[in-house]
Amino acid sequence: MQPVNHLLAQTGTTIFTVMSALAVRHGAINLGQGFPDTEGPADIIQAAADALQDNRNQYPPLTGVPELRQAVAAANARFYGLNIDPDGGVVVTSGATEAITACLMALINPGDEVILIEPLYDTYLPVVKMLGGVPVLIRLAPPDWALPRAALTAAFSPRTKLLLLNSPMNPCGKVFTADELGFIAGLLVRHDAYAVCDEVYEHLTFAPARHIPLMTLPGMAERCLRIGSAGKTFSLTGWKVGYISGPNALCAVVAKAHQNLTFTTAPNLQRAVALGLQKPDAYFAGLADELRAKRDILATGLAALGLPVLPTDGSYFLTTDISALGFPGDDLAFCQSITAQARVAAIPVSAFYAADPPKNFVRFAFCKQDAVLAEALARLNAWMQSAKTLTAAV
Ligand code: PMP
Ligand code: GLN
């Protein structure tokens, strides 16, 4: 038999699926894969149900239903003062995952260099490689995850096509500052490069941190493709509705990628998300406030257990440093052990590196009900009290 695609053959099953399966096997509380354990807003769900009944269930337009494209453009103006054309500057996709691939397909020619920042979300690297892009990796250093400016400057070359920027950042909860974004923007202009901006956690930032799209900086509107996710913004991760905003010239090419990937996205979900994006400011502020309280519950609880917690300004996640625990294994072994023995699942941060990762950081999701977080902390406490359980799971 002929060999299958060698890059996909080498790609393992995503760590989120691996840890969720392990959590189910052990009846563990799943603080691994990032999804809320409560439903999103009832009115949006009702709108999606109603929209199934009104005879608009055939193929929606390629770039998205007009209601959603208009709502995405209006949200860009309302939250960031961005001027996006609803007819030419928005592409609706089946989740941000598709959006990332579509944007990369639109920009990369084989041999182009793509700057990626570790720790990095797990779809970036395989997709860049599949497209023939050459990944150039730089690395943020814990505990503060500051941008290494000299390394970033050195990563640019005449072959640089784009930088992929994730802010707020998964897994470390970093929100890039105005100063850091200004530095990045300067390099993009100097090297005539693009940015694909994965901003799925745009509304999940914790004051005083504030999300600033790179696209809002001078000279950036023509160079950036900005990606949002209804899954994150409306706590409906299974819906897989994403949206790309950008200059018309780039979005026209992104639309060609989208037409070859999925062509379109379920119309009822698009129309419900359009309503969601028109919710009052209080909805978006409330979402962030609720999550911040959950972050504090988990951070305080983990710290009390002797697990140092790194600062998190946005996203669903916080990371802890396990090196002081004396655990006889790496982050993956730790996550396997707590899933099997404490019955609390988490994600090893080493999964967010291409090679040679740090092995002492573990990511916990806090987008869970307060009682669930409390139970998870109680289970971890009981496990840590029992010294004999501090052994790697087989
Ligand atoms: N980017 C990041 C950084 C993420 O954490 C996720 C996780 N869901 C995605 C993209 C994918 O978003 P979606 O579920 O809308 O495809
Ligand atoms: N983004 C989610 C996380 O980081 C996972 C999404 C997925 O499982 N594909 O946990």
Side-chain angles (χ1 to χ4, degrees):
M1 300 281 277
Q2 293 275 353
V4 297
N5 177 271
H6 66 284
L7 286 168
L8 290 179
Q10 281 165 16
T11 304
T13 302
T14 160
I15 189 72
F16 310 118
T17 295
V18 170
M19 292 312 300
S20 284
L22 200 63
V24 169
R25 173 141 34 106
H26 292 286
I29 294 174
N30 193 350
L31 304 188
Q33 190 178 29
F35 59 90
D37 62 354
T38 48
E39 290 290 334
D43 56 347
I44 303 182
I45 294 171
Q46 188 61 52
D50 293 346
L52 286 172
Q53 301 291 349
D54 65 1
N55 301 319
R56 283 178 63 187
N57 289 302
Q58 307 309 329
Y59 293 130
L62 189 159
T63 55
V65 299
E67 300 95 306
L68 180 52
R69 283 187 278 109
Q70 274 149 20
V72 169
N76 272 293
R78 165 158 62 136
F79 293 112
Y80 310 118
L82 283 167
N83 183 18
I84 296 291
D85 173 6
D87 295 322
V90 177
V91 181
V92 176
T93 56
S94 296
T97 307
E98 188 207 335
I100 293 161
T101 297
C103 290
L104 295 174
M105 282 172 75
L107 294 174
I108 295 175
N109 283 316
D112 286 344
E113 290 182 0
V114 177
I115 300 176
L116 300 169
I117 304 177
E118 288 179 321
L120 81 179
Y121 186 58
D122 73 335
T123 63
Y124 300 166
L125 199 55
V127 175
V128 168
K129 286 185 184 166
M130 288 282 293
L131 294 169
V134 179
V136 177
L137 292 152
I138 66 158
R139 192 173 275 214
L140 305 182
D144 59 352
W145 310 105
L147 183 69
R149 296 183 186 215
L152 180 62
T153 305
F156 278 84
S157 87
R159 290 173 302 285
T160 304
K161 177 59 76 69
L162 70 101
L163 170 102
L164 208 169
L165 184 70
N166 176 211
S167 182
M169 196 170 178
N170 180 5
C172 60
K174 174 185 174 66
V175 178
F176 282 73
T177 64
D179 198 50
E180 289 172 326
L181 295 170
F183 185 78
I184 292 170
L187 288 168
L188 293 174
V189 170
R190 192 175 330 146
H191 294 275
D192 187 23
Y194 298 103
V196 172
C197 303
D198 178 346
E199 302 182 7
V200 297
Y201 300 106
E202 61 185 319
H203 292 295
L204 311 183
T205 59
F206 314 130
R210 185 171 73 88
H211 174 59
I212 305 170
L214 180 64
M215 192 185 260
T216 59
L217 273 73
M220 288 296 101
E222 296 312 301
R223 297 183 179 279
C224 291
L225 288 165
R226 200 176 89 70
I227 297 169
S229 167
K232 305 297 188 292
T233 297
F234 301 108
S235 308
L236 295 163
T237 58
W239 278 24
K240 300 297 284 188
V241 177
Y243 25 86
I244 301 159
S245 309
N248 290 20
L250 293 185
C251 285
V253 188
V254 172
K256 306 269 178 58
H258 172 61
Q259 81 183 12
N260 288 312
L261 283 166
T262 59
F263 178 73
T264 194
T265 296
N268 66 315
L269 299 182
Q270 291 196 49
R271 291 163 63 198
V273 170
L275 286 181
L277 285 173
Q278 294 168 60
K279 278 185 169 291
D281 291 355
Y283 165 77
F284 298 90
L287 179 71
D289 284 350
E290 267 177 38
L291 259 183
R292 184 177 49 174
K294 293 180 186 304
R295 174 202 63 178
D296 292 344
I297 290 172
L298 191 62
T300 309
L302 289 171
L305 297 181
L307 272 166
V309 176
L310 282 67
T312 279
D313 289 328
S315 83
Y316 284 153
F317 310 112
L318 57 77
T319 48
T320 56
D321 183 348
I322 60 167
S323 45
L325 286 184
F327 178 79
D330 61 10
D331 57 344
L332 176 61
F334 182 84
C335 289
Q336 289 167 334
S337 293
I338 59 171
T339 305
Q341 297 170 358
R343 292 191 302 119
V344 177
I347 298 286
V349 171
S350 57
F352 295 79
Y353 290 81
D356 195 20
K359 294 188 173 170
N360 55 314
F361 295 105
V362 168
R363 189 195 83 174
F364 290 90
F366 48 78
C367 46
K368 306 291 172 185
Q369 296 170 67
D370 294 358
V372 172
L373 295 175
E375 173 62 18
L377 287 164
R379 290 184 186 187
L380 285 170
N381 185 33
W383 178 75
M384 290 177 71
Q385 297 307 319
S386 160
K388 71 176 177 8
T389 60
L390 282 178
T391 55
V394 181

